[in-house]
Amino acid sequence: MTPPDGTAVDEWSFSARMLNLLFEAAAAARNGVEYTNSEVAAAINQRAGRRVISDETIRKLRTPGGPQPSFDRVAHLAAFFQVPLDAFKDGTHTHEAVAAEAVKLLEARRKHTEKVDREVAKEADDIRMLARSARRLDSRGLKLAMEFISSLQKMQKRQD
């Protein structure tokens, strides 16, 4: 392992793919909202109490075939994403384990999103059906329907 003197971690073969996977996994844990490079850089710099990385550097590190980061930068990225340092080193057991966990999290998020999308689509179909039915009512029928809906809502609240 390279000492924390700012030298590149050439022998590491830093994984841009892992960095991007961690961004995606963090987004899954944040209701689909991905951190921006600027947010990550700002958080790392604040935690370090000095400027150790820029959003542009993070952008470059996320690009496959990009530059090899210093040990210090890898350590800060690992701390931010709460993963072991070796997670960024291609071919290690830790790298594979962290990648597998991130993929599981992303798959769970995808399944959840698909389920919610199906539920929303079903609800939208039901609402469209109700709206079509309501359009066929005269003003007296609409008033009765609204009263009925209001009564149903009150009964539901009592049951909850």
Side-chain angles (χ1 to χ4, degrees), residues 8-87:
V9 289
D10 292 330
E11 74 277 5
W12 272 49
S13 185
F14 177 81
S15 175
R17 183 180 67 83
M18 176 58 77
L19 183 55
N20 286 313
L21 186 59
L22 291 172
F23 267 86
E24 289 177 51
R30 298 177 71 216
N31 294 323
V33 179
E34 188 171 300
Y35 285 112
T36 66
N37 296 341
S38 296
E39 288 172 324
V40 173
I44 288 172
N45 292 335
Q46 183 178 17
R47 185 180 292 151
R50 61 186 172 87
R51 184 180 167 93
V52 294
I53 198 164
S54 69
D55 58 330
E56 179 61 15
T57 298
I58 293 173
R59 183 194 66 75
K60 289 177 183 176
L61 292 175
R62 293 181 73 181
T63 304
Q68 288 293 307
S70 68
F71 178 90
D72 188 47
R73 287 184 174 148
V74 175
H76 285 290
L77 287 166
F80 178 82
F81 287 108
Q82 299 177 349
V83 297
L85 206 54
D86 277 356

Side-chain angles (χ1 to χ4, degrees), residues 124-146 148-149:
D125 289 344
D126 292 346
I127 291 170
R128 281 191 288 275
M129 189 274 303
L130 284 170
R132 281 192 303 270
S133 299
R135 274 187 248 137
R136 291 185 228 126
L137 298 174
D138 62 15
S139 60
R140 196 180 98 215
L142 280 173
K143 183 178 180 198
L144 286 170
M146 292 302 295
F148 180 70
I149 290 170

